[in-house]
């Protein structure tokens, strides 16, 4: 888990987006969705018939007055693949998305369908920024997560398993953030952070705070 899947660039030239007010899909994360609006039912059917890819785009503040039109969204989005779907008797859908990549919206396409489509580009990590800092921050995050797993009443082994499945330091930060960070503003910041070291550091700070809440002596820095 964690490695970016091969994605046909053609899908990014007309990519459906699902704008939501407080939802951020990080690579490696899972997101359940209940699709009930007619325009997004159409979007879901088209996605299931095609590449099963869509982007979760977070709506910018003040969207309420234009919700049924085209309110502004953050250009940095999470690209997701539908990995499970169920169509209910009344036409609604229950979906599960798995985050597969970061994307950036280049431009929104003219309205052809009832849902919104964009031209987007994939965003890769810049691994040349601070390689030593990435190594140090990765080691710290692993140690903090191991401590967290040891004090959790439930889910400790699942957390350790999640760490073992990560293919790179950057994907490790994403997977842990997707599982443990619920604040949408912080998740959006992490989505927009292309330096793996910075993502690791921010995620490690969050895990350290969790440790301080659960076991006051376990949130100290790890060397």
């Amino acid at each position: 888990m964690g490695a970016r899947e091969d994605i046909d660039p053609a899908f990014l030239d007309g990519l459906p987006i699902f704008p939501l007010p407080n939802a951020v899909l990080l690579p490696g994360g899972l997101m359940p969705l209940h699709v009930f609006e007619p325009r997004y039912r159409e979007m879901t059917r088209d996605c299931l018939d095609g590449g099963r890819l869509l982007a979760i785009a977070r709506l910018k503040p003040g969207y309420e007055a234009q919700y049924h039109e085209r309110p502004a969204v953050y250009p940095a989005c999470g690209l997701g693949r539908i990995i499970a779907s169920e169509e209910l008797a009344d036409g609604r859908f229950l979906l599960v998305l798995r985050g597969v990549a970061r994307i950036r919206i280049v431009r929104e396409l003219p309205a052809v369908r009832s849902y919104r489509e964009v031209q987007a580009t994939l965003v890769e990590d810049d691994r040349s920024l601070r390689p030593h800092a990435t190594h140090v921050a990765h080691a710290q995050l692993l140690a903090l997560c191991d401590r967290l797993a040891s004090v959790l009443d439930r889910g400790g082994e699942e957390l350790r398993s999640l760490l073992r499945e990560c293919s790179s330091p950057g994907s490790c930060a994403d997977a842990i953030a997707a599982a443990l960070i619920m604040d949408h503003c912080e998740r959006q910041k992490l989505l927009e952070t292309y330096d793996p070291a910075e993502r690791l550091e921010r995620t490690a700070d969050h895990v350290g705070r969790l440790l301080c809440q659960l076991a006051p002596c376990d949130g100290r820095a790890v060397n």
Side-chain angles (χ1 to χ4, degrees), residues 1-222:
M1 189 194 72
R4 181 177 67 78
E5 299 180 4
D6 289 332
I7 296 165
D8 185 347
F11 284 116
L12 301 180
D13 288 336
L15 181 68
I17 62 170
F18 196 167
L20 294 168
N22 284 309
V24 178
L25 179 63
L26 291 167
L30 296 176
M31 179 178 288
L33 291 173
H34 173 207
V35 181
F36 53 89
E37 290 188 45
R39 54 181 168 169
Y40 297 126
R41 295 186 195 184
E42 178 187 351
M43 177 194 71
T44 298
R45 292 189 184 95
D46 288 348
C47 287
L48 292 173
D49 289 341
R52 304 177 75 90
L53 293 172
L54 63 98
I56 299 298
R58 186 179 175 217
L59 289 163
K60 290 187 174 181
Y63 67 89
E64 292 85 355
Q66 294 183 307
Y67 178 74
H68 294 287
E69 300 172 17
R70 291 191 165 201
V73 298
Y74 289 92
C77 306
L79 180 64
R81 186 181 299 278
I82 300 172
I83 61 170
S85 64
E86 178 183 1
E87 184 172 5
L88 304 179
D90 60 3
R92 291 175 294 133
F93 285 90
L94 301 177
L95 306 178
V96 178
L97 295 186
R98 179 164 61 85
V100 295
R102 287 172 167 78
I103 63 164
R104 178 166 288 274
I105 295 173
V106 176
R107 66 186 181 97
E108 185 156 355
L109 301 179
V112 174
R113 297 178 173 84
S114 61
Y115 55 87
R116 299 167 68 176
E117 296 177 289
V118 300
Q119 180 186 14
T121 183
L122 289 171
V123 180
E124 303 284 359
D125 278 348
D126 189 342
R127 300 182 182 181
S128 66
L129 288 173
R130 296 187 292 152
H132 178 69
T134 297
H135 175 77
V136 172
H138 187 208
Q140 182 181 48
L141 179 60
L142 292 177
L144 285 168
C145 285
D146 188 62
R147 284 187 184 174
L148 180 61
S150 70
V151 301
L152 290 173
D153 292 332
R154 294 181 299 173
E157 187 51 42
E158 288 80 358
L159 178 58
R160 291 191 176 100
S161 177
L162 183 64
L163 293 170
R164 290 194 295 268
E165 293 172 359
C166 295
S167 61
S168 68
S171 68
C172 179
D174 287 334
I176 298 304
L180 299 180
I181 297 178
M182 298 297 107
D183 181 83
H184 302 108
C185 292
E186 181 63 19
R187 289 169 70 94
Q188 184 68 38
K189 289 178 184 176
L190 288 168
L191 188 67
E192 297 171 1
T193 300
Y194 310 134
D195 175 1
E198 184 177 346
R199 287 209 308 277
L200 288 159
E201 291 161 356
R202 294 176 73 95
T203 305
D205 285 345
H206 181 83
V207 175
R209 290 194 296 272
L210 284 178
L211 276 167
C212 286
Q213 295 170 13
L214 294 171
C217 292
D218 280 346
R220 57 186 179 274
V222 178

